[in-house]
Amino acid sequence: MKAQKKPAPNKERLAEVYRTSAQIILRKGYDATSINDIANALGMTKAGLYHYINGKKELLFDIMNFGLDELEEEVITPAQSILDTAARLRFIIASHARLVMRGDGAITILVDEITALTPAQNRKITHRKRAHFDRLREVLNKLKSEGMLQDVDTTVATFSLLGMINWLSRWFKHDGALTEEQIADEIVKMALNGLLRPESRAAQRGLRVVRD
């Protein structure tokens, strides 16, 4: 008798599994996090959780891909349609910051836990991370070619931007004094003030990228 194929899990519930798991791993570390920890946090049995995952290491890999898929869909793809380079950088920084604050660590654990993956998984995630890094650096290089960037090394600047954004999940609190939007605006302000020449900042003042 032919075995029945397991039905695909609900996408919203799967996203909840990834975000909750990421939050626990971010707090406790991958090695100290158990499948029972994740199941309990989700209000599920261990057997119920295995409807959504294929094991702890595969879960970590899936979380990282989930975070990078969100980054692709909500930051990288829409940014490509923004013609003004400085406006594109503003959009990338603000959208990525909001995504990290909303995602409860799904992207930030890429930095801390990638060594827990298998070598093949590590290569795939590293390739995707590098692609995003290169795209962001290309934006900075274009700003430099347009005479808008201060005299900074674009590789150092790219690492610094990503570090500042990813670190948000370490300290941002949803019930804190500032909202996600306010913090994203502060991150953008600090980044652009440090990267753009004064005359370029003046030209960008008041420019707002409309989001859906």
Side-chain angles (χ1 to χ4, degrees):
M1 185 177 177
K2 189 176 180 180
Q4 289 187 339
K5 186 178 180 181
K6 186 170 74 171
N10 177 277
K11 287 186 177 181
E12 290 184 4
R13 184 61 164 159
L14 187 58
E16 184 184 1
V17 168
Y18 291 157
R19 290 191 177 113
T20 301
S21 301
Q23 190 174 23
I24 297 170
I25 293 170
L26 185 65
R27 185 175 69 250
K28 298 183 66 173
Y30 172 77
D31 290 334
T33 299
S34 69
I35 294 297
N36 279 331
D37 291 333
I38 296 169
N40 290 337
L42 289 161
M44 302 168 65
T45 65
K46 188 174 178 179
L49 180 58
Y50 273 106
H51 174 69
Y52 296 91
I53 70 173
N54 295 311
K56 185 178 167 185
K57 195 176 291 287
E58 192 67 27
L59 171 61
L60 182 65
F61 180 61
D62 289 342
I63 290 170
M64 293 182 181
N65 275 304
F66 172 76
L68 288 165
D69 287 344
E70 286 194 318
L71 186 66
E72 186 85 33
E73 293 166 7
E74 300 184 29
V75 181
I76 297 169
T77 299
Q80 291 172 353
S81 64
I82 301 173
L83 299 181
D84 182 271
T85 313
R88 190 184 317 145
L89 178 62
R90 178 190 293 270
F91 175 85
I92 290 171
I93 295 169
S95 327
H96 193 170
R98 285 191 296 269
L99 182 58
V100 170
M101 287 185 281
R102 188 196 73 205
D104 295 323
I107 295 177
T108 302
I109 62 171
L110 296 175
V111 176
D112 297 336
E113 303 291 354
I114 195 168
T115 56
L117 298 176
T118 67
Q121 290 170 337
N122 192 313
R123 284 193 296 272
K124 290 177 182 178
I125 295 299
T126 298
H127 177 76
R128 294 192 69 183
K129 286 174 58 183
R130 182 60 193 233
H132 176 56
F133 179 93
D134 289 342
R135 278 186 290 255
L136 180 54
R137 185 168 56 181
E138 283 173 13
V139 174
L140 296 181
N141 283 333
K142 191 166 190 303
L143 284 168
K144 177 171 278 191
S145 70
E146 294 170 350
M148 299 180 68
L149 202 69
Q150 298 209 50
D151 186 19
V152 297
D153 182 276
T154 55
T155 298
V156 174
T158 304
F159 275 120
S160 299
L161 278 177
L162 292 175
M164 178 169 59
I165 293 168
N166 285 332
W167 197 253
L168 281 168
S169 66
R170 294 292 190 184
W171 61 264
F172 171 73
K173 302 295 181 185
H174 289 281
D175 58 353
L178 297 178
T179 66
E180 292 179 25
E181 196 65 34
Q182 288 172 322
I183 290 175
D185 287 344
E186 290 297 314
I187 295 291
V188 167
K189 188 189 306 179
M190 287 186 290
L192 296 189
N193 283 345
L195 290 171
L196 298 183
R197 294 181 182 275
E199 59 272 22
S200 301
R201 294 200 301 270
Q204 285 294 310
R205 194 168 294 129
L207 179 62
R208 182 178 178 83
V209 177
V210 178
R211 302 187 312 277
D212 292 333

